[in-house]
Amino acid sequence: MIQRVQSLFLFFAAIINLVILSYAPIFINSEEKIRMIDLQNYFPSLLLLISTLLALFAIFQFKNRLRQLMIVSFSRLSIAISFFLFIIFKEDGNELYYGGSLLILPYIILLLSAYFIKKDEKLVRSADRIR
């Protein structure tokens, strides 16, 4: 269901990941030259793309909330690994720019969506107990 809050959060996380992949500069070097994602950062950007696809896939898993929660957890894990790989593959003289620190935003949004998925699961289980 698209109208659920966690579905909107998952959609926004996917959109922000795509913006980071295509428009947000990740590094800036000492000569103030901005570097986008390139072939050196192939693996972290691939993990970020996987996180985007997982978030979009999780939207349509609304009938099985536990599976949706697991998919969201893998998406958060791939964002965290991507962030740390960006830091590890950083060259000397480069500093993390706002695109790299923007990775925190989809992670937080995915945390919020996981919270609301758990809240829905608790509500469904309490309704099952009443029957």
Side-chain angles (χ1 to χ4, degrees):
M1 288 199 240
I2 302 298
Q3 68 267 21
R4 292 171 45 208
V5 175
Q6 57 267 31
S7 297
L8 292 174
F9 281 143
L10 290 169
F11 180 72
F12 289 143
I15 293 297
I16 292 171
N17 280 341
L18 286 176
V19 166
I20 292 170
L21 277 173
S22 54
Y23 298 114
I26 301 295
F27 296 114
I28 188 166
N29 61 12
S30 58
E31 294 101 28
E32 299 297 320
K33 184 178 177 188
I34 295 174
R35 285 196 44 218
M36 304 290 274
I37 295 176
D38 56 358
L39 288 177
Q40 180 187 2
N41 299 324
Y42 176 74
F43 191 65
S45 61
L46 181 67
L47 282 173
L48 200 58
L49 182 64
I50 288 171
S51 171
T52 303
L53 295 175
L54 284 174
L56 289 174
F57 180 67
I59 293 173
F60 301 107
Q61 297 297 314
F62 58 88
K63 290 183 181 179
N64 192 346
R65 284 169 299 282
L66 295 178
R67 183 184 305 154
Q68 189 179 30
L69 191 61
M70 183 182 67
I71 292 169
V72 168
S73 297
F74 282 131
S75 181
R76 281 194 333 244
L77 179 68
S78 68
I79 287 175
I81 292 171
S82 175
F83 180 74
F84 288 118
L85 286 178
F86 275 130
I87 292 173
I88 289 172
F89 290 153
K90 181 179 77 158
E91 294 177 357
D92 295 336
N94 285 344
E95 295 179 17
L96 203 60
Y97 204 49
Y98 73 88
S101 58
L102 196 63
L103 283 172
I104 296 170
L105 190 60
Y107 188 84
I108 292 172
I109 291 173
L110 287 173
L111 279 174
L112 286 172
S113 67
Y115 170 76
F116 283 108
I117 292 169
K118 288 177 189 176
K119 191 175 175 182
D120 273 0
E121 183 64 26
K122 187 188 288 187
L123 181 69
V124 168
R125 287 185 192 253
S126 69
D128 286 344
R129 276 184 289 194
I130 293 173
R131 290 187 213 171

Coordinates of all heavy atoms in Angstrom, one line a residue, residues 51-130:
S51 N 21.1 -0.6 -2.2 CA 20.2 -0.1 -1.2 C 19.0 0.6 -1.7 O 17.9 0.5 -1.2 CB 21.0 0.9 -0.3 OG 20.2 1.6 0.6
T52 N 19.1 1.3 -2.8 CA 18.0 2.0 -3.5 C 17.0 0.9 -4.0 O 15.8 1.1 -3.8 CB 18.5 2.8 -4.7 OG1 19.5 3.8 -4.2 CG2 17.4 3.6 -5.3
L53 N 17.5 -0.1 -4.7 CA 16.6 -1.1 -5.2 C 15.9 -1.9 -4.1 O 14.8 -2.2 -4.2 CB 17.4 -2.1 -6.1 CG 18.0 -1.4 -7.4 CD1 18.9 -2.4 -8.1 CD2 16.9 -0.9 -8.3
L54 N 16.6 -2.1 -3.0 CA 16.0 -2.8 -1.9 C 14.9 -2.0 -1.2 O 13.9 -2.5 -0.8 CB 17.1 -3.2 -0.8 CG 18.0 -4.4 -1.1 CD1 19.0 -4.5 -0.1 CD2 17.1 -5.6 -1.2
A55 N 15.1 -0.7 -1.1 CA 14.1 0.2 -0.6 C 12.9 0.2 -1.5 O 11.7 0.2 -1.0 CB 14.6 1.6 -0.4
L56 N 13.1 0.3 -2.8 CA 11.9 0.2 -3.7 C 11.2 -1.1 -3.7 O 10.0 -1.2 -3.7 CB 12.4 0.6 -5.1 CG 12.8 2.0 -5.4 CD1 13.4 2.2 -6.8 CD2 11.6 2.9 -5.1
F57 N 12.0 -2.2 -3.5 CA 11.4 -3.5 -3.5 C 10.6 -3.7 -2.2 O 9.6 -4.4 -2.1 CB 12.5 -4.6 -3.6 CG 12.0 -6.0 -3.5 CD1 11.2 -6.5 -4.5 CD2 12.3 -6.8 -2.4 CE1 10.7 -7.8 -4.4 CE2 11.8 -8.1 -2.3 CZ 11.0 -8.6 -3.3
A58 N 11.1 -3.1 -1.1 CA 10.4 -3.2 0.2 C 9.0 -2.6 0.2 O 8.2 -2.9 1.0 CB 11.3 -2.7 1.3
I59 N 8.8 -1.6 -0.6 CA 7.5 -0.9 -0.7 C 6.5 -1.9 -1.0 O 5.4 -1.9 -0.5 CB 7.6 0.3 -1.7 CG1 8.5 1.4 -1.2 CG2 6.2 0.8 -1.9 CD1 8.7 2.5 -2.2
F60 N 6.8 -2.8 -1.9 CA 5.8 -3.7 -2.4 C 5.7 -5.0 -1.6 O 4.9 -5.9 -2.0 CB 6.0 -4.1 -3.9 CG 6.0 -2.8 -4.7 CD1 7.2 -2.3 -5.2 CD2 4.8 -2.2 -5.0 CE1 7.1 -1.1 -6.0 CE2 4.8 -1.0 -5.7 CZ 5.9 -0.5 -6.3
Q61 N 6.4 -5.1 -0.5 CA 6.3 -6.3 0.4 C 5.5 -6.0 1.6 O 5.7 -6.5 2.7 CB 7.7 -6.6 0.8 CG 8.6 -7.1 -0.3 CD 8.1 -8.3 -1.0 OE1 7.7 -9.3 -0.3 NE2 8.1 -8.3 -2.3
F62 N 4.4 -5.2 1.4 CA 3.6 -4.7 2.5 C 2.8 -5.8 3.1 O 2.3 -5.7 4.3 CB 2.7 -3.5 2.1 CG 1.8 -3.8 1.0 CD1 0.5 -4.4 1.2 CD2 2.1 -3.6 -0.3 CE1 -0.3 -4.7 0.2 CE2 1.3 -3.8 -1.4 CZ 0.0 -4.4 -1.1
K63 N 2.5 -6.9 2.4 CA 1.7 -8.0 3.0 C 2.5 -8.9 4.0 O 1.9 -9.5 4.9 CB 1.2 -8.9 1.9 CG 0.2 -8.2 1.0 CD -0.4 -9.1 0.0 CE -1.4 -8.4 -0.9 NZ -2.0 -9.3 -1.9
N64 N 3.8 -8.9 3.8 CA 4.7 -9.6 4.7 C 5.6 -8.7 5.4 O 6.7 -8.4 4.9 CB 5.5 -10.7 3.9 CG 6.2 -11.7 4.8 OD1 6.3 -11.5 6.0 ND2 6.6 -12.8 4.3
R65 N 5.2 -8.2 6.6 CA 5.9 -7.1 7.3 C 7.2 -7.6 7.8 O 8.2 -6.8 7.8 CB 5.0 -6.5 8.4 CG 3.9 -5.6 7.9 CD 3.0 -5.3 8.9 NE 2.3 -6.5 9.5 CZ 1.3 -7.1 8.8 NH1 0.9 -6.6 7.7 NH2 0.7 -8.1 9.4
L66 N 7.4 -8.8 8.2 CA 8.6 -9.3 8.7 C 9.7 -9.4 7.6 O 10.9 -9.0 7.8 CB 8.5 -10.6 9.3 CG 7.6 -10.6 10.6 CD1 7.5 -12.1 11.2 CD2 8.2 -9.7 11.6
R67 N 9.3 -9.8 6.4 CA 10.2 -9.7 5.2 C 10.5 -8.3 4.9 O 11.7 -8.0 4.5 CB 9.5 -10.4 4.0 CG 10.5 -10.5 2.8 CD 9.9 -11.1 1.6 NE 9.4 -12.4 1.9 CZ 8.4 -12.9 1.1 NH1 7.9 -12.3 0.1 NH2 7.9 -14.1 1.4
Q68 N 9.5 -7.4 4.9 CA 9.8 -6.0 4.6 C 10.8 -5.4 5.6 O 11.7 -4.7 5.2 CB 8.5 -5.2 4.7 CG 8.6 -3.8 4.2 CD 7.2 -3.1 4.3 OE1 6.4 -3.4 5.1 NE2 7.0 -2.2 3.4
L69 N 10.7 -5.8 6.9 CA 11.6 -5.3 7.9 C 13.0 -5.9 7.6 O 14.0 -5.1 7.8 CB 11.1 -5.8 9.3 CG 11.8 -5.2 10.5 CD1 11.6 -3.7 10.5 CD2 11.2 -5.8 11.7
M70 N 13.1 -7.1 7.2 CA 14.4 -7.7 6.9 C 15.1 -7.0 5.7 O 16.3 -6.7 5.7 CB 14.3 -9.2 6.6 CG 15.6 -9.9 6.3 SD 15.4 -11.6 6.0 CE 14.6 -11.6 4.4
I71 N 14.3 -6.7 4.7 CA 14.8 -6.0 3.5 C 15.3 -4.6 3.9 O 16.3 -4.2 3.4 CB 13.7 -6.0 2.4 CG1 13.4 -7.4 1.9 CG2 14.1 -5.0 1.2 CD1 12.2 -7.5 1.0
V72 N 14.5 -3.9 4.7 CA 14.9 -2.6 5.2 C 16.2 -2.7 5.9 O 17.1 -1.8 5.8 CB 13.8 -1.9 6.0 CG1 14.3 -0.7 6.7 CG2 12.6 -1.6 5.1
S73 N 16.4 -3.7 6.7 CA 17.6 -3.9 7.5 C 18.8 -4.1 6.6 O 19.9 -3.5 6.8 CB 17.5 -5.1 8.4 OG 16.5 -4.8 9.4
F74 N 18.7 -4.9 5.5 CA 19.7 -5.1 4.5 C 20.0 -3.8 3.8 O 21.2 -3.5 3.5 CB 19.4 -6.2 3.5 CG 19.6 -7.6 4.1 CD1 18.6 -8.5 4.0 CD2 20.8 -7.9 4.7 CE1 18.8 -9.8 4.5 CE2 20.9 -9.2 5.2 CZ 19.9 -10.1 5.1
S75 N 19.0 -3.0 3.5 CA 19.2 -1.7 2.9 C 20.0 -0.8 3.7 O 20.9 -0.1 3.3 CB 17.9 -1.1 2.5 OG 18.0 0.1 1.9
R76 N 19.7 -0.8 5.0 CA 20.5 0.1 6.0 C 21.9 -0.4 6.1 O 22.9 0.4 6.1 CB 19.8 0.0 7.4 CG 18.7 0.9 7.5 CD 18.3 1.1 9.0 NE 18.6 0.0 9.9 CZ 17.8 -0.7 10.5 NH1 16.5 -0.5 10.4 NH2 18.2 -1.7 11.3
L77 N 22.1 -1.7 6.1 CA 23.4 -2.3 6.1 C 24.3 -1.9 4.9 O 25.4 -1.6 5.0 CB 23.4 -3.8 6.3 CG 24.7 -4.6 6.3 CD1 25.4 -4.2 7.6 CD2 24.5 -6.0 6.2
S78 N 23.6 -1.9 3.7 CA 24.4 -1.6 2.5 C 24.7 -0.1 2.5 O 25.8 0.3 2.0 CB 23.6 -2.0 1.3 OG 22.5 -1.2 1.1
I79 N 23.9 0.8 3.1 CA 24.2 2.2 3.2 C 25.4 2.4 4.1 O 26.3 3.1 3.8 CB 23.0 3.0 3.6 CG1 22.0 3.1 2.5 CG2 23.5 4.4 4.1 CD1 20.7 3.8 2.9
A80 N 25.4 1.7 5.2 CA 26.5 1.8 6.2 C 27.8 1.3 5.6 O 28.8 2.0 5.8 CB 26.1 1.0 7.5
I81 N 27.8 0.2 4.9 CA 29.0 -0.3 4.3 C 29.5 0.6 3.3 O 30.7 0.9 3.1 CB 28.8 -1.8 3.8 CG1 28.5 -2.7 4.9 CG2 29.9 -2.2 2.9 CD1 28.1 -4.1 4.5
S82 N 28.6 1.1 2.5 CA 28.9 2.1 1.4 C 29.6 3.3 2.0 O 30.6 3.8 1.5 CB 27.7 2.5 0.6 OG 28.0 3.5 -0.3
F83 N 29.1 3.8 3.1 CA 29.6 5.0 3.8 C 31.1 4.7 4.2 O 32.0 5.5 4.0 CB 28.8 5.5 4.9 CG 29.3 6.7 5.7 CD1 29.2 7.9 5.1 CD2 29.8 6.5 6.9 CE1 29.7 9.0 5.8 CE2 30.3 7.6 7.6 CZ 30.2 8.9 7.0
F84 N 31.3 3.6 4.9 CA 32.6 3.3 5.3 C 33.6 3.0 4.2 O 34.8 3.3 4.3 CB 32.5 2.1 6.3 CG 31.9 2.5 7.7 CD1 30.8 1.9 8.1 CD2 32.5 3.5 8.4 CE1 30.2 2.3 9.3 CE2 32.0 3.9 9.6 CZ 30.8 3.3 10.1
L85 N 33.1 2.4 3.1 CA 34.0 2.2 2.0 C 34.3 3.5 1.3 O 35.5 3.6 0.8 CB 33.3 1.2 1.0 CG 33.3 -0.2 1.4 CD1 32.5 -1.1 0.4 CD2 34.7 -0.8 1.7
F86 N 33.4 4.5 1.3 CA 33.8 5.8 0.8 C 34.9 6.4 1.6 O 35.8 7.0 1.1 CB 32.6 6.7 0.8 CG 31.7 6.7 -0.4 CD1 30.4 6.5 -0.3 CD2 32.3 6.7 -1.7 CE1 29.6 6.5 -1.4 CE2 31.5 6.6 -2.8 CZ 30.1 6.5 -2.7
I87 N 34.9 6.2 2.9 CA 35.9 6.7 3.8 C 37.2 5.9 3.6 O 38.3 6.5 3.5 CB 35.5 6.7 5.2 CG1 34.3 7.6 5.5 CG2 36.6 7.0 6.2 CD1 33.7 7.6 6.8
I88 N 37.1 4.6 3.4 CA 38.3 3.8 3.3 C 39.0 4.1 1.9 O 40.2 4.2 1.8 CB 38.0 2.3 3.4 CG1 37.7 2.0 4.8 CG2 39.1 1.4 2.9 CD1 37.1 0.6 5.0
F89 N 38.2 4.2 0.8 CA 38.8 4.5 -0.5 C 39.2 5.9 -0.8 O 39.5 6.3 -1.9 CB 37.9 4.0 -1.6 CG 37.7 2.5 -1.6 CD1 36.6 1.9 -2.1 CD2 38.7 1.7 -1.2 CE1 36.4 0.5 -2.2 CE2 38.6 0.3 -1.3 CZ 37.5 -0.3 -1.8
K90 N 39.1 6.7 0.2 CA 39.4 8.2 0.1 C 40.9 8.3 -0.2 O 41.7 7.7 0.5 CB 39.0 8.9 1.3 CG 39.2 10.4 1.3 CD 38.8 11.0 2.6 CE 39.8 10.7 3.6 NZ 39.8 11.7 4.7
E91 N 41.2 9.1 -1.2 CA 42.6 9.4 -1.5 C 43.2 10.4 -0.6 O 42.5 11.2 0.0 CB 42.7 9.8 -3.0 CG 42.4 8.8 -4.0 CD 42.4 9.4 -5.4 OE1 42.7 10.6 -5.5 OE2 42.2 8.6 -6.3
D92 N 44.5 10.5 -0.6 CA 45.2 11.6 0.2 C 44.9 12.9 -0.4 O 44.9 13.1 -1.6 CB 46.7 11.3 0.2 CG 47.0 10.1 1.0 OD1 46.2 9.6 1.8 OD2 48.1 9.5 0.7
G93 N 44.6 13.9 0.4 CA 44.3 15.2 -0.1 C 42.8 15.4 -0.4 O 42.4 16.6 -0.6
N94 N 42.0 14.4 -0.4 CA 40.5 14.5 -0.6 C 39.9 14.6 0.8 O 40.3 13.9 1.7 CB 40.0 13.4 -1.4 CG 40.3 13.5 -2.8 OD1 40.7 14.5 -3.3 ND2 40.1 12.4 -3.5
E95 N 38.8 15.4 0.9 CA 38.0 15.4 2.1 C 36.6 15.1 1.7 O 36.1 15.3 0.6 CB 38.0 16.8 2.6 CG 39.4 17.3 3.1 CD 39.4 18.7 3.7 OE1 38.3 19.2 4.0 OE2 40.5 19.2 3.8
L96 N 35.9 14.5 2.7 CA 34.5 14.2 2.5 C 33.6 15.5 2.3 O 33.8 16.4 3.1 CB 34.0 13.4 3.7 CG 32.8 12.5 3.4 CD1 33.1 11.4 2.4 CD2 32.4 11.8 4.7
Y97 N 32.8 15.5 1.2 CA 32.0 16.7 0.9 C 30.6 16.4 1.3 O 30.3 15.3 1.9 CB 32.2 17.0 -0.6 CG 31.9 18.4 -0.9 CD1 32.4 19.5 -0.2 CD2 31.1 18.7 -2.0 CE1 32.2 20.8 -0.6 CE2 30.8 20.0 -2.4 CZ 31.4 21.0 -1.6 OH 31.1 22.3 -2.0
Y98 N 29.7 17.3 1.0 CA 28.3 17.1 1.5 C 27.6 15.9 1.0 O 26.7 15.3 1.6 CB 27.5 18.4 1.3 CG 27.1 18.6 -0.1 CD1 25.9 18.1 -0.6 CD2 27.8 19.4 -0.9 CE1 25.5 18.3 -1.9 CE2 27.5 19.7 -2.2 CZ 26.3 19.1 -2.7 OH 25.9 19.4 -4.0
G99 N 28.0 15.4 -0.2 CA 27.4 14.1 -0.7 C 27.7 12.9 0.2 O 26.9 12.0 0.3
G100 N 28.9 12.9 0.7 CA 29.2 11.8 1.6 C 28.5 11.9 2.9 O 28.1 10.9 3.5
S101 N 28.4 13.1 3.5 CA 27.6 13.2 4.7 C 26.1 13.1 4.5 O 25.4 12.9 5.5 CB 28.0 14.5 5.4 OG 27.7 15.6 4.6
L102 N 25.7 13.3 3.3 CA 24.3 13.2 3.0 C 23.8 11.7 3.1 O 22.6 11.4 3.2 CB 24.0 13.7 1.6 CG 22.6 14.1 1.2 CD1 22.0 15.2 2.1 CD2 22.5 14.5 -0.2
L103 N 24.7 10.8 3.1 CA 24.4 9.3 3.3 C 23.7 9.0 4.6 O 23.0 8.0 4.7 CB 25.6 8.5 3.1 CG 26.1 8.3 1.7 CD1 27.4 7.6 1.7 CD2 25.1 7.5 0.9
I104 N 23.8 9.9 5.6 CA 23.2 9.7 6.9 C 21.7 9.9 6.8 O 21.0 9.2 7.5 CB 23.8 10.7 7.9 CG1 25.3 10.4 8.1 CG2 23.1 10.6 9.2 CD1 26.0 11.4 8.9
L105 N 21.2 10.7 5.9 CA 19.8 11.0 5.7 C 19.0 9.8 5.3 O 18.0 9.5 6.0 CB 19.6 12.2 4.8 CG 18.2 12.8 4.7 CD1 17.8 13.3 6.1 CD2 18.2 13.9 3.7
P106 N 19.3 9.0 4.3 CA 18.5 7.8 4.0 C 18.6 6.8 5.0 O 17.7 6.0 5.2 CB 19.1 7.3 2.6 CG 20.3 8.0 2.4 CD 20.3 9.3 3.2
Y107 N 19.8 6.7 5.7 CA 19.9 5.7 6.8 C 18.9 6.1 7.9 O 18.2 5.2 8.4 CB 21.3 5.8 7.4 CG 21.6 4.7 8.4 CD1 22.0 3.4 7.9 CD2 21.5 4.9 9.7 CE1 22.2 2.4 8.8 CE2 21.7 3.9 10.6 CZ 22.1 2.7 10.2 OH 22.3 1.7 11.1
I108 N 18.7 7.3 8.3 CA 17.8 7.7 9.3 C 16.4 7.5 8.8 O 15.5 7.0 9.6 CB 18.0 9.2 9.7 CG1 19.3 9.3 10.4 CG2 16.9 9.7 10.6 CD1 19.8 10.7 10.7
I109 N 16.1 7.8 7.6 CA 14.8 7.6 7.0 C 14.4 6.1 7.0 O 13.3 5.7 7.3 CB 14.6 8.2 5.6 CG1 14.7 9.7 5.7 CG2 13.4 7.7 4.9 CD1 14.8 10.4 4.4
L110 N 15.4 5.2 6.7 CA 15.1 3.8 6.8 C 14.9 3.3 8.2 O 14.2 2.4 8.5 CB 16.3 3.0 6.2 CG 16.3 3.1 4.6 CD1 17.6 2.5 4.1 CD2 15.1 2.5 4.0
L111 N 15.6 3.9 9.2 CA 15.3 3.6 10.6 C 13.9 4.0 11.0 O 13.2 3.2 11.7 CB 16.3 4.4 11.5 CG 17.7 3.8 11.7 CD1 18.5 4.8 12.5 CD2 17.6 2.5 12.4
L112 N 13.4 5.1 10.5 CA 12.0 5.5 10.8 C 11.0 4.6 10.1 O 10.0 4.2 10.7 CB 11.8 6.9 10.3 CG 12.4 8.1 11.1 CD1 12.2 9.4 10.4 CD2 11.7 8.1 12.5
S113 N 11.3 4.1 8.9 CA 10.4 3.2 8.2 C 10.4 1.8 9.0 O 9.3 1.2 9.1 CB 10.8 3.0 6.8 OG 12.0 2.3 6.7
A114 N 11.5 1.4 9.5 CA 11.6 0.2 10.3 C 10.7 0.3 11.5 O 10.0 -0.6 12.0 CB 13.0 -0.2 10.6
Y115 N 10.8 1.5 12.2 CA 10.0 1.7 13.4 C 8.5 1.6 13.1 O 7.8 1.0 13.8 CB 10.3 3.1 13.9 CG 9.4 3.6 15.0 CD1 9.5 3.0 16.3 CD2 8.4 4.5 14.8 CE1 8.6 3.4 17.3 CE2 7.5 4.9 15.8 CZ 7.6 4.4 17.0 OH 6.8 4.7 18.0
F116 N 8.1 2.2 12.0 CA 6.7 2.1 11.6 C 6.2 0.8 11.1 O 5.1 0.4 11.3 CB 6.3 3.2 10.6 CG 6.2 4.6 11.2 CD1 7.2 5.5 10.9 CD2 5.1 4.9 12.0 CE1 7.1 6.8 11.5 CE2 5.1 6.2 12.6 CZ 6.0 7.1 12.3
I117 N 7.1 0.0 10.5 CA 6.8 -1.4 10.2 C 6.6 -2.2 11.4 O 5.7 -3.0 11.5 CB 7.9 -2.0 9.3 CG1 7.9 -1.3 7.9 CG2 7.7 -3.5 9.1 CD1 9.1 -1.6 7.1
K118 N 7.5 -2.0 12.4 CA 7.3 -2.8 13.7 C 6.0 -2.3 14.4 O 5.4 -3.2 15.0 CB 8.5 -2.5 14.6 CG 9.8 -3.1 14.2 CD 10.9 -2.7 15.1 CE 12.2 -3.2 14.6 NZ 13.4 -2.8 15.4
K119 N 5.7 -1.1 14.3 CA 4.5 -0.6 14.9 C 3.2 -1.2 14.2 O 2.3 -1.6 14.9 CB 4.4 0.9 14.8 CG 3.4 1.6 15.6 CD 3.5 3.1 15.5 CE 2.4 3.8 16.1 NZ 2.5 5.3 16.0
D120 N 3.2 -1.4 12.9 CA 2.2 -2.0 12.2 C 2.1 -3.5 12.6 O 1.0 -4.0 12.8 CB 2.4 -1.9 10.7 CG 1.8 -0.7 10.1 OD1 1.2 0.1 10.9 OD2 1.9 -0.5 8.9
E121 N 3.2 -4.1 12.7 CA 3.2 -5.6 13.1 C 2.7 -5.8 14.5 O 1.9 -6.7 14.7 CB 4.6 -6.1 13.0 CG 4.8 -7.6 13.3 CD 4.0 -8.5 12.3 OE1 3.8 -8.0 11.1 OE2 3.7 -9.6 12.7
K122 N 3.0 -4.9 15.4 CA 2.5 -5.0 16.7 C 1.0 -4.8 16.7 O 0.2 -5.4 17.4 CB 3.2 -3.9 17.6 CG 2.8 -4.1 19.1 CD 3.3 -2.9 19.9 CE 4.8 -3.0 20.1 NZ 5.3 -2.0 21.1
L123 N 0.5 -3.8 15.9 CA -1.0 -3.6 15.8 C -1.7 -4.8 15.3 O -2.8 -5.1 15.8 CB -1.2 -2.3 15.0 CG -2.6 -1.9 14.8 CD1 -3.2 -1.4 16.1 CD2 -2.7 -0.9 13.7
V124 N -1.2 -5.4 14.3 CA -1.8 -6.6 13.7 C -1.8 -7.7 14.7 O -2.8 -8.5 14.8 CB -1.1 -7.0 12.4 CG1 -1.5 -8.3 11.9 CG2 -1.4 -5.9 11.3
R125 N -0.7 -7.9 15.4 CA -0.7 -9.0 16.4 C -1.6 -8.8 17.5 O -2.2 -9.7 18.0 CB 0.8 -9.2 16.9 CG 1.7 -9.8 15.9 CD 3.0 -10.1 16.4 NE 3.9 -10.4 15.4 CZ 4.4 -11.7 15.2 NH1 4.0 -12.6 16.0 NH2 5.2 -11.9 14.2
S126 N -1.8 -7.5 17.9 CA -2.7 -7.3 19.0 C -4.2 -7.5 18.5 O -5.0 -7.9 19.3 CB -2.6 -5.8 19.5 OG -3.0 -4.9 18.6
A127 N -4.4 -7.2 17.3 CA -5.8 -7.4 16.7 C -6.0 -8.9 16.6 O -7.2 -9.3 16.8 CB -5.9 -6.7 15.4
D128 N -5.0 -9.7 16.3 CA -5.2 -11.1 16.2 C -5.5 -11.7 17.6 O -6.2 -12.7 17.7 CB -4.0 -11.8 15.6 CG -3.9 -11.6 14.1 OD1 -4.9 -11.2 13.5 OD2 -2.8 -11.8 13.6
R129 N -4.9 -11.2 18.6 CA -5.2 -11.7 20.0 C -6.6 -11.4 20.4 O -7.2 -12.1 21.2 CB -4.2 -11.0 21.0 CG -2.9 -11.7 21.1 CD -2.1 -11.0 22.1 NE -1.7 -9.7 21.6 CZ -0.8 -8.9 22.1 NH1 -0.2 -9.2 23.1 NH2 -0.6 -7.8 21.5
I130 N -7.2 -10.3 20.0 CA -8.5 -10.0 20.4 C -9.5 -10.9 19.8 O -10.5 -11.3 20.4 CB -8.8 -8.5 20.0 CG1 -8.0 -7.5 20.8 CG2 -10.3 -8.2 20.2 CD1 -8.1 -6.1 20.3

